[in-house]
Amino acid sequence: MCAFGWYFLLTGLNADQEALERNALKQAEVVSSTHADHLTQTLEALDQIVLHVKYEWQLANAQLQLEDIASTGLFPSNAGFYVAISDRNGKVVTASVRSSKPEGVGNRQYFLAHKNASQDSLYIGAPAVGHATKRNVLHFSRRLEDQSGSFSGVVLLSVTLNYFTTNYDYTTLGGNGFVGIVGNDDIVRATRIGGTIHNPGNEALVSGFHFPTQGGSTILVGADWFTDKRTRYVGWTAVKKYPLIAMAGLDQQDVLAPYWANRAVEIREGIVATVALVFFALIAMAFSMRLAWRKRQLDVTQATYRMATEGGNEGFYIACPVGNSNGTIVDFEIIDCNQRGAELYRCRREELIGKTILT
């Protein structure tokens, strides 16, 4: 009974854990999908700013002053926006933040990508430290062209990393959840765990995760994947129209905390039930052994009695009194006799046992 009880208890608990983990994986995928939709809207808005600056630059015949536009509030200051325009040689000709010594960008990856490209498209760079803001940023840029279609420079928009993880939902993800943005080039763009936004070179995600599909979920073991060594249920969804993957993760310890508390209670109750069952089993065994011992004593007594009586010519009987409803003895029931006693009644011993003397 104990073995069956523990089998069903542990099987049920394991089934509960598996169901909880399946639900966590589905929830992580849903959260990553929401994160991807939010990123799509965010990137569209950022691209609109870049396009707006590009066309204003073209309409102004390369005479646009971004310092003046910045004063109108076009670039949100709380997001750490920085906009700059460089010429075909990588020299910054105007920027939303004035600098006494503007640095060249001719060696930057985004500049080289546009210089070597055949057509204009939004380029999303790797995380870097901005020259002007000195903060960890992502670069978004587009190619500038002259009237002949030749490369004439770059429009750059840099945005601080925390801007891309502000939609972190504590209600859903808790204090140890994870959100991240990874490019199709496997470069991690932004990561956040709880209230901590991780900087380039110290990303929350240790290794570059390979995405087998456009969306899905899996368990990532903390020791292999996260700097804080906490295992998470991670979902991912491709961002529409952009070469990015949105990730979201639920912390395993947080997800399973209610389960482990309930499991501990049920196991304690199982231990108490097992101890009680063993205790009563031992009592039953003791009574059973006592009854078996008394029966053996009776059998020995009866065997001794027969050995003493079967050899003689007298009839020996053992009778038990039979009482009525008032407790008065009205007869005697033969419960044992020797063979000579049965012969005196002209019957076999087995026939005589159980009969009454008077009736």
Side-chain angles (χ1 to χ4, degrees):
M1 289 179 65
C2 287
F4 277 111
W6 279 104
Y7 171 78
F8 286 116
L9 174 62
L10 296 177
T11 300
L13 289 173
N14 290 337
D16 291 342
Q17 180 178 353
E18 291 174 0
L20 197 60
E21 290 187 326
R22 285 195 300 269
N23 182 67
L25 288 171
K26 291 179 181 178
Q27 189 175 3
E29 188 171 357
V30 170
V31 176
S32 72
S33 177
T34 303
H35 185 30
D37 292 340
H38 180 268
L39 277 176
T40 299
Q41 298 174 7
T42 300
L43 294 172
E44 287 176 346
L46 296 177
D47 195 19
Q48 287 299 313
I49 293 176
V50 176
L51 286 171
H52 176 75
V53 173
K54 174 181 176 178
Y55 293 135
E56 287 289 336
W57 174 261
Q58 293 173 343
L59 291 174
N61 294 320
Q63 299 300 316
L64 182 68
Q65 295 298 314
L66 291 177
E67 295 87 346
D68 299 333
I69 294 180
S71 63
T72 65
L74 176 63
F75 313 129
S77 59
N78 61 343
F81 278 34
Y82 170 77
V83 185
I85 296 177
S86 66
D87 61 17
R88 60 171 50 88
N89 297 317
K91 179 183 178 181
V92 176
V93 296
T94 182
S96 59
V97 178
R98 296 183 184 275
S99 176
S100 58
K101 295 181 179 180
E103 298 186 31
V105 297
N107 61 343
R108 290 298 185 100
Q109 185 64 40
Y110 62 84
F111 182 87
L112 297 174
H114 288 300
K115 184 177 181 179
N116 299 324
S118 59
Q119 60 183 6
D120 178 39
S121 62
L122 181 68
Y123 180 86
I124 303 175
V129 178
H131 279 322
T133 61
K134 304 303 179 183
R135 300 167 68 179
N136 296 305
V137 298
L138 279 182
H139 289 147
F140 301 88
S141 56
R142 279 187 175 272
R143 171 188 171 103
L144 290 175
E145 297 176 345
D146 57 22
Q147 294 182 352
S148 65
S150 300
F151 174 73
S152 64
V154 170
V155 178
L156 169 69
L157 168 64
S158 66
V159 186
T160 55
L161 294 181
N162 60 340
Y163 183 75
F164 301 96
T165 57
T166 54
N167 64 325
Y168 184 95
D169 186 0
Y170 280 93
T171 303
T172 303
L173 298 176
N176 296 294
F178 163 79
V179 292
I181 306 171
V182 181
N184 290 350
D185 52 7
D186 293 336
I187 296 177
V188 178
R189 293 316 200 270
T191 54
R192 173 175 176 171
I193 291 179
T196 303
I197 299 171
H198 290 254
N199 297 323
N202 186 33
E203 291 85 0
L205 199 63
V206 174
S207 304
F209 179 73
H210 175 69
F211 302 94
T213 60
Q214 292 294 298
S217 60
T218 188
I219 298 178
L220 295 184
V221 179
D224 299 329
W225 293 100
F226 294 101
T227 54
D228 62 359
K229 309 300 182 183
R230 297 175 73 99
T231 298
R232 290 179 174 87
Y233 306 100
V234 175
W236 69 88
T237 302
V239 179
K240 297 177 182 178
K241 301 188 294 184
Y242 299 98
L244 297 175
I245 302 291
M247 300 180 69
L250 302 175
D251 182 70
Q252 185 182 62
Q253 294 183 35
D254 292 344
V255 170
L256 296 182
Y259 164 79
W260 287 116
N262 178 68
R263 181 187 178 96
V265 171
E266 293 199 19
I267 287 181
R268 280 199 304 269
E269 292 177 350
I271 292 174
V272 171
T274 299
V275 171
L277 184 59
V278 170
F279 176 75
F280 286 115
L282 290 175
I283 293 177
M285 288 173 61
F287 278 111
S288 177
M289 292 175 65
R290 180 177 177 81
L291 290 175
W293 176 250
R294 293 183 63 180
K295 184 177 183 301
R296 176 169 175 77
Q297 287 182 320
L298 179 60
D299 291 341
V300 171
T301 301
Q302 289 179 339
T304 304
Y305 158 75
R306 291 193 185 91
M307 289 177 62
T309 59
E310 291 297 340
N313 292 324
E314 296 83 359
F316 290 92
Y317 307 90
I318 298 177
C320 178
V322 178
N324 58 15
S325 59
N326 297 325
T328 305
I329 297 176
V330 296
D331 209 336
F332 293 89
E333 180 184 353
I334 298 174
I335 61 173
D336 202 359
C337 67
N338 63 356
Q339 189 61 35
R340 179 59 178 164
E343 291 175 354
L344 293 176
Y345 281 92
R346 293 183 174 84
C347 62
R348 292 184 294 108
R349 175 175 171 273
E350 290 77 9
E351 295 174 344
L352 187 60
I353 294 175
K355 292 185 177 181
T356 56
I357 295 177
L358 301 179
T359 60

